[in-house]
Amino acid sequence: MNFLEDMLKIFLPPKFSSALLRYLGLSTEVSPNQTNFSVKLTVRSSYYGRVIVENGVCSTPTIVKVDSARKHGILLEAVQVLTDLNLSIKKAYISSDGKWFMDVFHVTDHLGNNLADEKVIGYIEQSLGAALHYGRTYFSNGLTALELTGTDRVGLLSEVFAVLADFQCNVVEAKVWTHNGRIASLIFVKDCNSGSPIEDSQRIDRIEDRLRNVLKGDNDIKSAKTTVSLAVTHTERRLHQMMFADRDYERSPILQLAPDDLPPAVTVQNWIEWGYSVVNVQCRDRAKLLFDVVCTLTDMKYVVFHGTVQTAADAASMEFYIKHSDGTPISSEAERQRVIQCLQAAVERRAPKGVRLELCTSDRVGLLADVTRTFRESALNVTMAEISTSMDTAMNVFYVTDALGNQPDPKLIEEVRDRIGSCSLTVKELPLPYHRNPAIKDDEAAGGAGAVLLSIGSLLKKNLYNLGLIKSCS
């Protein structure tokens, strides 16, 4: 008898638990006394599952319910669809055991409003439905992908873009992350003259060699890597994989942390009775936080069976009940420490550091080389970057600090803007990680930072309540 079946029979009336277990495919028992009993869920016509998007259940968030046959990675696929739309996941309730997977997500747009656009709602239903049935599919965008990892330093990015400009490579898209003195970047380029992917193997080899020499610098001979990516995958997931393979989580921070910039608190304990490892993460909330955590757990071959996510103000509290893909919990102290380190790294990699600069201007060959050279000459270090182009317009975002990792002098930023073009380069306030409508009160507050383990019974009852399967969780 599995965990969910045990807990349902403990916390639900017998008729309800038996009916629900049959609905989930966990029990085949049929009692003649239950023939008039109905479950508060419409029985799906598809084996794979369904997606329901509801507005009006709560005053602010839109409720996204996902029911699906359980398979490895399905939670990540669902979260990925939502985060790729730049939606904020305020709360989440995860229940997965036996043969079925049930999740509820409370989501808003980046301003904290519910989703009023029917096109967005339709896209969510269509995308999640496709992910449940067929899994996520990625198609080539007609560009050549370059993967770079190495030791971060002031001016490194300007050298990389200068090499690409020398080889007549037009950077169409790119994402750059830095963490613990390491850098990972995924850069999509095309030939400046033809506009086609770069397929000449000799040219690619020369580009790789030059970039590898740049990344090596004076002291990174062994770990600097430059490769042309042939696999088509999710960009941000690939960046996590690259930094994980580079073992950034084992390294010590090089840049200084702000006094109020505390590292995420991660604890891992085993629930021996039920065979779970319980992961608790307490940290500052920000965009795409849940994706980063679930992505890391999935790529480390762990399965999330149950969990809750709560946010309040700028704080996030997440708890997950996990096992290995073979059904066993974490088995050693070394493994426990590794999970803690990897989750801390996953939270920190995308956390914004420094001043946010947005560049919007006409695209041209060598634009990025010129802009990042100006940053280098002003001793500004790029801690994170996102490069994109639309038609002939470049829309780029840079986070910059001084050489020691501190906030740069505002006068220096203004000088940089004057050199690049004050109309094109603007300073943006860091967006609040969690937007709240002041007229709305949260119906639940996030758990405090000191909470490590929630009662497993309370967790299950709360999830069943939020899944709409019981009327009260008290």
Side-chain angles (χ1 to χ4, degrees):
M1 183 178 296
N2 61 44
F3 170 80
L4 182 59
E5 187 173 355
D6 279 345
M7 299 307 294
L8 285 174
K9 290 187 176 182
I10 292 173
F11 292 104
L12 297 178
K15 291 182 179 180
F16 195 109
S17 63
S18 299
L20 180 58
L21 289 169
R22 291 199 308 276
Y23 167 78
L24 296 176
L26 301 176
S27 174
T28 57
E29 297 177 1
V30 179
S31 169
N33 297 327
Q34 296 169 353
T35 54
N36 295 325
F37 183 78
S38 61
V39 178
K40 188 188 174 183
L41 283 177
T42 303
V43 177
R44 59 189 49 75
S45 58
S46 168
Y47 168 78
Y48 295 100
R50 68 173 183 174
V51 178
I52 301 174
V53 181
E54 297 178 353
N55 270 324
V57 176
C58 296
S59 49
T60 296
T62 297
I63 310 300
V64 179
K65 298 180 180 180
V66 182
D67 302 335
S68 168
R70 184 167 67 83
K71 63 178 181 179
H72 183 62
I74 186 63
L75 174 61
L76 177 59
E77 291 177 359
V79 172
Q80 191 171 291
V81 168
L82 299 176
T83 54
D84 283 349
L85 289 170
N86 290 321
L87 300 179
S88 174
I89 300 177
K90 295 173 60 177
K91 300 177 185 177
Y93 306 94
I94 302 160
S95 265
S96 174
D97 213 335
K99 299 178 181 179
W100 212 253
F101 163 94
M102 298 185 296
D103 282 1
V104 174
F105 302 97
H106 294 218
V107 302
T108 67
D109 63 18
H110 69 286
L111 296 176
N113 302 315
N114 61 12
L115 310 182
D117 191 334
E118 291 297 330
K119 292 182 179 179
V120 174
I121 293 176
Y123 180 81
I124 291 173
E125 293 175 335
Q126 181 180 11
S127 298
L128 282 174
L132 297 181
H133 282 72
Y134 312 111
R136 295 274 281 175
T137 303
Y138 301 96
F139 300 96
S140 172
N141 52 9
L143 302 171
T144 301
L146 302 173
E147 296 183 355
L148 314 177
T149 55
T151 300
D152 188 29
R153 66 177 186 275
V154 175
L156 174 60
L157 211 54
S158 71
E159 297 177 43
V160 168
F161 289 134
V163 168
L164 295 177
D166 287 345
F167 279 96
Q168 293 295 295
C169 299
N170 186 28
V171 178
V172 180
E173 299 175 17
K175 288 193 176 180
V176 180
W177 290 358
T178 63
H179 180 245
N180 284 355
R182 306 299 294 172
I183 185 171
S185 180
L186 195 54
I187 304 175
F188 297 90
V189 300
K190 63 181 180 181
D191 182 78
C192 288
N193 299 315
S194 67
S196 302
I198 300 171
E199 298 176 334
D200 183 340
S201 60
Q202 293 184 348
R203 184 181 177 189
I204 289 175
D205 288 342
R206 291 196 300 270
I207 293 172
E208 286 186 303
D209 288 342
R210 284 276 302 276
L211 289 175
R212 192 175 297 112
N213 288 332
V214 167
L215 289 167
K216 286 179 181 178
D218 297 327
N219 57 1
D220 195 10
I221 298 176
K222 294 183 178 180
S223 63
K225 295 180 181 178
T226 304
T227 59
V228 175
S229 175
L230 300 178
V232 181
T233 186
H234 188 268
T235 301
E236 292 166 346
R237 183 175 185 183
R238 182 60 189 148
L239 284 171
H240 276 300
Q241 292 171 344
M242 290 164 61
M243 298 207 90
F244 178 80
D246 193 50
R247 306 178 80 89
D248 68 317
Y249 55 88
E250 292 182 344
R251 303 174 186 268
S252 300
I254 293 179
L255 298 180
Q256 297 177 1
L257 292 176
D260 60 343
D261 192 10
L262 299 176
V266 181
T267 61
V268 178
Q269 297 187 21
N270 276 353
W271 189 277
I272 298 175
E273 182 179 0
W274 298 107
Y276 288 96
S277 295
V278 185
V279 176
N280 188 281
V281 181
Q282 307 280 342
C283 63
R284 179 172 295 178
D285 191 25
R286 61 164 174 78
K288 301 187 179 182
L289 175 63
L290 180 58
F291 169 82
D292 294 336
V293 172
V294 172
C295 175
T296 299
L297 289 172
T298 302
D299 284 338
M300 293 180 73
K301 308 302 182 185
Y302 294 107
V303 179
V304 177
F305 285 84
H306 306 282
T308 58
V309 177
Q310 300 281 354
T311 62
D314 65 346
S317 175
M318 296 176 280
E319 187 164 71
F320 305 100
Y321 291 75
I322 68 171
K323 297 180 182 180
H324 290 108
S325 53
D326 64 2
T328 60
I330 292 172
S331 59
S332 69
E333 177 61 21
E335 183 186 2
R336 189 180 75 87
Q337 290 298 328
R338 184 167 178 263
V339 170
I340 291 174
Q341 288 179 325
C342 290
L343 290 179
Q344 287 176 332
V347 171
E348 293 170 344
R349 286 170 191 150
R350 203 205 295 259
K353 298 176 284 294
V355 173
R356 178 185 172 107
L357 301 177
E358 295 184 2
L359 177 68
C360 183
T361 188
S362 297
D363 193 24
R364 59 176 173 81
V365 177
L367 172 65
L368 288 169
D370 292 342
V371 170
T372 52
R373 183 179 65 250
T374 302
F375 292 160
R376 183 192 67 200
E377 292 171 349
S378 302
L380 293 177
N381 187 46
V382 178
T383 62
M384 186 162 59
E386 184 168 346
I387 311 301
S388 61
T389 56
S390 179
M391 303 298 289
D392 295 325
T393 301
M395 297 173 291
N396 306 329
V397 177
F398 304 94
Y399 289 87
V400 298
T401 67
D402 67 13
L404 297 177
N406 300 314
Q407 291 288 104
D409 188 334
K411 293 182 180 180
L412 179 60
I413 295 295
E414 287 306 310
E415 292 176 4
V416 170
R417 291 186 63 219
D418 289 339
R419 291 179 61 182
I420 295 176
S422 57
C423 294
S424 301
L425 186 66
T426 57
V427 180
K428 294 292 185 180
E429 294 288 337
L430 289 181
L432 290 175
Y434 176 79
H435 292 275
R436 301 181 69 186
N437 184 335
I440 304 301
K441 294 183 179 180
D442 288 332
D443 56 350
E444 293 182 33
V452 176
L453 294 178
L454 292 175
S455 162
I456 190 69
S458 298
L459 170 67
L460 179 64
K461 289 200 289 183
K462 182 181 290 185
N463 280 6
L464 291 172
Y465 170 74
N466 285 286
L467 289 167
L469 299 177
I470 59 176
K471 294 182 179 180
S472 173
C473 60
S474 60

